[in-house]
Amino acid sequence: MGATGLSLHIGLNTVDPDRYDGWNGHLVACENDARDLSVLASDAGYSGTVLLTEEATVDGVTAALRAAAARLRDGDAFLLTYSGHGGQVPDETEGGDEPDALDETLVLYDRQFLDDELNRELARFAEGVRVLVLLDCCHSGTGIEVRDLLTPHALREQFGTEDREQIETVSRLMPVARQGAIYRRDRDFFQELQRELRADGRRADALLISACQDNQLAADGRVNGLFTGTLLRVWDKGAFSGGHRAFHRAIVSRMPATQSPNLHLSGHPAPSFLAQRPFTV
């Protein structure tokens, strides 16, 4: 009996302004990214779930992840893709595990989903499940780093402007001032959640390819995000034949220096998985 492949594709073109102090986080191409990656996964043999905008709540995403974890066993494959805004919240808990004292977040429809929350859900998968995560969002380090390391020249090169407000409309960065205001509003909630996650202590075995480095912004687009659109061209409807490292290098080679996708190993995914052709069930 062959392996089973399940996939979950999340794309948010807006968020709930009632939960983000009036900000709706409007983007253009994230739902397209989710649909297009769902087609890619289906062609590769995965059975997929797509959550778009209003469906992509914390409860909805968590339920879909747990349903997949309950089904898959050693040798099976799970693919998670996310397109939307990225953000950060301070990690002020004692013994925090973030070197920059920030937890990166996925900006879901009703609230920010911490990277440690995602890790906890992925850690529920059985040992030996091959987990690949694709994130097309900004994970930009601290707000100060975004503004210091992205020079006006670099911003003009990537986005055609150095105006901060314009950049926020064409990148997938949750505005830094908005991040700070919402964190102050929900500080007690996030601190309790961070303490709970730290006490849990589990670490997922997964392979992550993300849209950019911590100090960079991920560009939205008219049809697809810059990262997702480049990934789809490199994949070339299945013509690509290398392993995950070669796939990552091929994507990076087609991206501007101002947005350099990252390859990251969480936990201890099997070397054979890393060497495998992407999207193999």
Side-chain angles (χ1 to χ4, degrees):
M1 183 176 178
T4 297
L6 299 178
S7 63
L8 173 61
H9 309 278
I10 304 164
L12 296 97
N13 282 349
T14 62
V15 297
D16 183 354
D18 290 338
R19 303 301 295 270
Y20 287 92
D21 285 352
W23 178 70
N24 72 359
H26 176 71
L27 292 168
V28 174
C30 299
E31 290 191 359
N32 286 342
D33 289 349
R35 294 188 189 97
D36 289 346
L37 290 171
S38 175
V39 171
L40 182 159
S42 178
D43 290 345
Y46 287 78
S47 176
T49 299
V50 179
L51 299 178
L52 301 178
T53 304
E54 294 92 343
E55 302 168 318
T57 62
V58 169
D59 285 348
V61 168
T62 300
L65 288 169
R66 292 185 182 182
R71 285 188 56 188
L72 297 178
R73 297 292 180 264
D74 184 8
D76 291 337
F78 180 67
L79 169 64
L80 170 65
T81 74
Y82 170 82
S83 289
H85 282 288
Q88 298 89 19
V89 299
D91 183 359
E92 300 176 318
T93 58
E94 185 176 353
D97 59 358
E98 297 288 352
D100 57 3
L102 292 166
D103 280 325
E104 280 76 26
T105 69
L106 306 182
V107 182
L108 297 183
Y109 189 70
D110 53 344
R111 73 162 172 84
Q112 295 182 79
F113 193 65
L114 302 182
D115 53 3
D116 287 341
E117 285 184 274
L118 178 58
N119 172 75
R120 178 174 64 179
E121 296 309 320
L122 295 179
R124 296 179 189 275
F125 284 81
E127 185 176 353
V129 175
R130 293 163 290 135
V131 178
L132 173 60
V133 180
L134 305 174
L135 300 180
D136 194 344
C137 58
C138 298
H139 289 279
S140 314
T142 67
I144 292 174
E145 287 175 335
V146 171
R147 282 153 173 72
D148 287 347
L149 295 176
L150 284 178
T151 65
H153 173 76
L155 294 172
R156 284 195 304 271
E157 180 181 341
Q158 183 172 0
F159 299 108
T161 179
E162 61 189 77
D163 182 86
R164 301 291 173 172
E165 292 185 2
Q166 289 185 40
I167 290 164
E168 287 170 355
T169 69
V170 294
S171 76
R172 294 181 173 183
L173 174 71
M174 183 180 180
V176 174
R178 185 74 56 175
Q179 294 178 43
I182 290 174
Y183 176 73
R184 289 189 294 272
R185 184 193 71 189
D186 297 334
R187 181 178 180 178
D188 290 345
F189 167 79
F190 280 119
Q191 288 192 343
E192 179 59 32
L193 177 59
Q194 287 165 327
R195 283 190 288 268
E196 174 190 331
L197 292 164
R198 191 129 310 112
D200 182 89
R202 288 178 289 178
R203 180 60 56 185
D205 294 329
L207 171 59
L208 166 68
I209 303 178
S210 61
C212 60
Q213 301 295 316
D214 284 347
N215 63 342
Q216 294 177 331
L217 305 182
D220 197 29
R222 294 181 179 179
V223 178
N224 292 112
L226 178 59
F227 168 68
T228 298
T230 304
L231 180 154
L232 291 168
R233 287 191 293 276
V234 169
W235 181 244
D236 193 17
K237 298 182 179 180
F240 182 85
S241 60
H244 286 97
R245 288 195 187 278
F247 189 53
H248 169 251
R249 288 194 299 268
I251 295 169
V252 170
S253 71
R254 299 189 182 198
M255 298 282 285
T258 48
Q259 186 180 332
S260 181
N262 191 37
L263 176 70
H264 175 72
L265 304 182
S266 173
H268 300 92
S272 58
F273 174 42
L274 186 60
Q276 195 172 56
R277 180 171 174 262
F279 313 118
T280 296
V281 174

